[in-house]
Amino acid sequence: MDAGVAGVAVTTSALTNPTLVIQYHKSGDMTRGENAVPGEALADVDYLSRSANRVAILDALADAPATRRALAERTDVSRATLDRIVNEFEERGWAERRADGEYAATAAGTHVVREFRPFVESVAAVNRLGDAVEWLPTEGLDISLGAFSDATVRHPKNDDPAETVEFVTELIRDSAEFRSLTHLFPPGLFARVMREEVLAGDLTVEAVATGDVVEHIRDSPDRRDRWRDVLAAGSDLYRCEPPIPCNLMVFDGTVLIKRSDAGPIDDAYGVPIVSERDAVAAWAHDVIDSYRDETRRVDADVFTGPGTAGADGGE
């Protein structure tokens, strides 16, 4: 089997003989320079990436020692395939047979699979999110991109952004806690249901919004009255200054992420990234916390009417 990897020709013999030969092109010798990629490492990546069974078996061996029979049951890999792969791992120094007859990953094998899985998950996230991956604030993400490997980009049916408004409205109706960091004006239906749930004692709200959003709420009678009631009932609104890294909405354990720049309606209300992974929720809460801690809390009195004294006030 032949595979070209960034200027390197990687050739492998039959899988029963996993010896790898690296052939360098003179014009692309990757052993030179500070940014060189070691050819042997590329060969190992190529070997591991060409079989999901190899990854599953090495991952299982890194988790806990096991006999070959038990390992086959844990990984659902046929015994013949498993025996061949475990033998290959032993030759590579990634697995070893212990005195009790069980097999375990060596330190090298454990490090290889522990570093390899996040890389694969990150690629999976890029594939799943497509162009929406640019909405993630990768420079200050403080979380592996792989955490988004099972996230989805929720495109509304028939490209109707109102469908997403209905979706987020149902989320807030079913949630006990809602937190957000945003420069988007909450849709009317969403805000009405939020108020109803807060006044019924079924929902707590903590929102961090840019000054433009706060001013828009203050200058809109319906929005102003709703938010005054929400804040008077014990929820919190904080005013921050842009820019913000992205728009975040957290409904209990469900996280919605929207692009941070002011784009067309389909990029704002219509198309969110949705994740229910605990690590993403923890990251979202940390981001919201970091902005909330640098802001001023908005008093309910701010929403007594447009242009009133204290409209820019806070604690």
Side-chain angles (χ1 to χ4, degrees):
M1 177 176 179
D2 295 320
V5 183
V8 179
V10 182
T11 63
T12 64
S13 59
L15 291 179
T16 54
N17 183 2
T19 304
L20 300 169
V21 180
I22 308 299
Q23 297 177 335
Y24 295 97
H25 302 305
K26 291 183 179 180
S27 60
D29 188 342
M30 300 187 73
T31 63
R32 301 173 181 173
E34 295 181 356
N35 296 323
V37 179
E40 291 183 0
L42 286 177
D44 285 338
V45 170
D46 175 68
Y47 164 77
L48 190 59
S49 66
R50 284 186 288 107
S51 169
N53 287 336
R54 292 170 185 166
V55 178
I57 293 169
L58 189 55
D59 205 20
L61 288 172
D63 283 341
T67 63
R68 295 196 180 203
R69 180 185 298 277
L71 195 58
E73 293 174 355
R74 283 166 54 187
T75 59
D76 199 29
V77 176
S78 71
R79 183 60 187 270
T81 299
L82 183 136
D83 286 344
R84 172 176 51 76
I85 291 174
V86 170
N87 290 341
E88 293 171 1
F89 286 168
E90 287 188 283
E91 293 176 7
R92 289 175 172 273
W94 290 356
E96 60 186 1
R97 186 177 187 275
R98 306 193 323 178
D100 58 5
E102 293 187 327
Y103 289 82
T106 62
T110 299
H111 284 302
V112 165
V113 76
R114 291 294 183 260
E115 294 294 328
F116 183 78
R117 268 199 173 276
F119 169 72
V120 173
E121 290 177 352
S122 294
V123 174
V126 171
N127 290 340
R128 287 182 68 89
L129 298 180
D131 292 342
V133 73
E134 68 181 83
W135 304 353
L136 299 177
T138 51
E139 291 185 1
L141 201 58
D142 293 332
I143 184 176
S144 168
L145 185 60
F148 297 89
S149 61
D150 56 356
T152 58
V153 182
R154 195 177 192 280
H155 292 276
K157 298 176 182 177
N158 300 319
D159 294 325
D160 181 6
E163 192 270 341
T164 297
V165 174
E166 294 173 0
F167 169 65
V168 297
T169 300
E170 287 304 309
L171 283 177
I172 202 165
R173 198 189 301 275
D174 296 336
S175 298
E177 179 187 57
F178 171 65
R179 303 187 74 205
S180 67
L181 170 66
T182 183
H183 65 52
L184 300 174
F185 306 135
L189 174 63
F190 177 89
R192 288 195 296 273
V193 172
M194 179 181 69
R195 175 185 176 277
E196 293 169 2
E197 295 296 313
V198 168
L199 296 186
D202 296 329
L203 177 70
T204 60
V205 173
E206 186 177 70
V208 182
T210 59
D212 287 343
V213 172
V214 174
E215 293 301 322
H216 181 80
I217 292 172
R218 184 178 63 85
D219 294 337
S220 173
D222 290 343
R223 296 176 188 271
R224 181 176 67 240
D225 293 345
R226 283 194 292 265
W227 275 94
R228 184 179 62 242
D229 292 345
V230 166
L231 299 185
S235 292
D236 294 310
L237 174 65
Y238 295 87
R239 175 175 180 156
C240 71
E241 297 306 321
I244 59 175
C246 60
N247 289 291
L248 286 172
M249 305 173 77
V250 185
F251 304 86
D252 292 341
T254 300
V255 179
L256 270 63
I257 304 167
K258 299 170 183 282
R259 62 184 305 155
S260 62
D261 58 310
I265 190 67
D266 61 338
D267 288 339
Y269 293 130
V271 183
I273 296 172
V274 182
S275 174
E276 295 184 349
R277 185 173 285 195
D278 290 344
V280 175
W283 163 78
H285 283 299
D286 287 345
V287 173
I288 294 172
D289 287 345
S290 67
Y291 277 79
R292 179 204 58 196
D293 293 344
E294 298 296 327
T295 63
R296 295 178 297 168
R297 185 176 180 273
V298 178
D299 294 327
D301 292 344
V302 168
F303 299 132
T304 56
T308 57
D312 292 328
E315 291 183 350

